Amino acid sequence: MLTTIRKHGITLALFAAGATGTTAIINQMTKSTIDSQSARQQMALFDQVVPQGSYNNDLLKSCYVLDAPALGKGSHKIYIARKDDVPVTVVMEATAPDGYSGAIQLLVGADFSGTVLGSRVTQHHETPGLGDKIELRHSDWITRFAGKIIHGDNDSQWAVKKDGGEFDQFTGATITPRAVVNAVKRAGLFAETLPQQINELSPCEE
């Protein structure tokens, strides 16, 4: 009887070990595929806010994390684009805290002299049919930032038309586009300060 129990115990142990090993192998293979797909999606988004031919380094490996009030509350990742090892532009995660239905998450590309190269909304909770026009699949409004120059913190053109600026607001929804315009402006101004900080930035964890 004891011998039978012992045999069953060994069999179960071997089965469990085999199942664990198989699961680990499958998880590793799946993780690699998921990571690869995620990297491709992220690079596709980067290409929408920074011209692909303007840099030649691996943006994903040029990631830094920092706390900067200009980019919103908490930590944000930025990606320094380099041309032959010379920093030329930056892709920044930014938050507009004052959306109509809460914080709006953005990706902003800019050079270091006040020009915004592009911006995309990555997450929001704005009202469908109104505030969600900040999203590219609903409207091309977010593309209007590309190539716009910020002439200092007091540049009055960086506002919605209702506030005397050059950016359209949406019918029935002014709070949302106002929040995005202000957040993109803050990010663009912050980008101008980065060349002096690059050597002090903390790299993202692998």
Side-chain angles (χ1 to χ4, degrees):
M1 182 68 176
L2 289 175
T3 302
T4 302
I5 293 174
R6 188 177 295 110
K7 286 181 179 179
H8 286 318
I10 293 172
T11 300
L12 287 173
L14 290 173
F15 177 79
T20 301
T22 301
T23 300
I25 292 171
I26 292 173
N27 284 342
Q28 186 59 40
M29 293 173 62
T30 304
K31 181 180 183 301
S32 178
T33 300
I34 292 173
D35 289 347
S36 178
Q37 290 177 343
S38 177
R40 283 198 297 270
Q41 290 173 353
Q42 196 165 13
M43 284 306 304
L45 195 56
F46 288 170
D47 289 342
Q48 294 181 47
V49 299
V50 171
Q52 191 173 12
S54 65
Y55 64 94
N56 54 17
N57 66 313
D58 186 341
L59 266 185
L60 292 176
K61 293 181 179 179
S62 189
C63 174
Y64 302 89
V65 62
L66 47 74
D67 292 334
L71 299 181
K73 186 178 180 180
S75 298
H76 289 79
K77 290 180 179 179
I78 67 170
Y79 303 82
I80 303 294
R82 293 177 168 86
K83 187 77 168 182
D84 299 330
D85 291 329
V86 177
V88 288
T89 58
V90 60
V91 176
M92 301 165 283
E93 293 180 351
T95 301
D98 47 355
Y100 182 77
S101 300
I104 300 168
Q105 305 302 327
L106 301 158
L107 201 65
V108 181
D111 65 16
F112 303 125
S113 59
T115 300
V116 173
L117 303 174
S119 182
R120 293 291 184 272
V121 171
T122 57
Q123 185 179 349
H124 72 89
H125 304 284
E126 300 304 278
T127 307
L130 292 173
D132 65 351
K133 293 177 183 177
I134 57 175
E135 196 176 340
L136 186 60
R137 66 192 179 102
H138 295 301
S139 166
D140 66 354
W141 181 84
I142 195 70
T143 66
R144 310 292 171 81
F145 294 103
K148 297 293 185 182
I149 300 173
I150 307 171
H151 299 285
D153 188 53
N154 296 320
D155 188 345
S156 61
Q157 291 302 301
W158 273 82
V160 295
K161 289 180 178 178
K162 187 175 182 179
D163 298 333
E166 66 172 274
F167 295 95
D168 293 331
Q169 60 264 354
F170 310 142
T171 302
T174 301
I175 293 175
T176 302
R178 178 186 288 135
V180 173
V181 170
N182 289 336
V184 174
K185 178 184 177 183
R186 288 193 296 268
L189 289 171
F190 176 72
E192 293 186 64
T193 71
L194 279 171
Q196 293 78 37
Q197 304 180 51
I198 287 178
N199 293 332
E200 301 173 3
L201 296 175
S202 299
C204 297
E205 294 182 1
E206 293 291 335

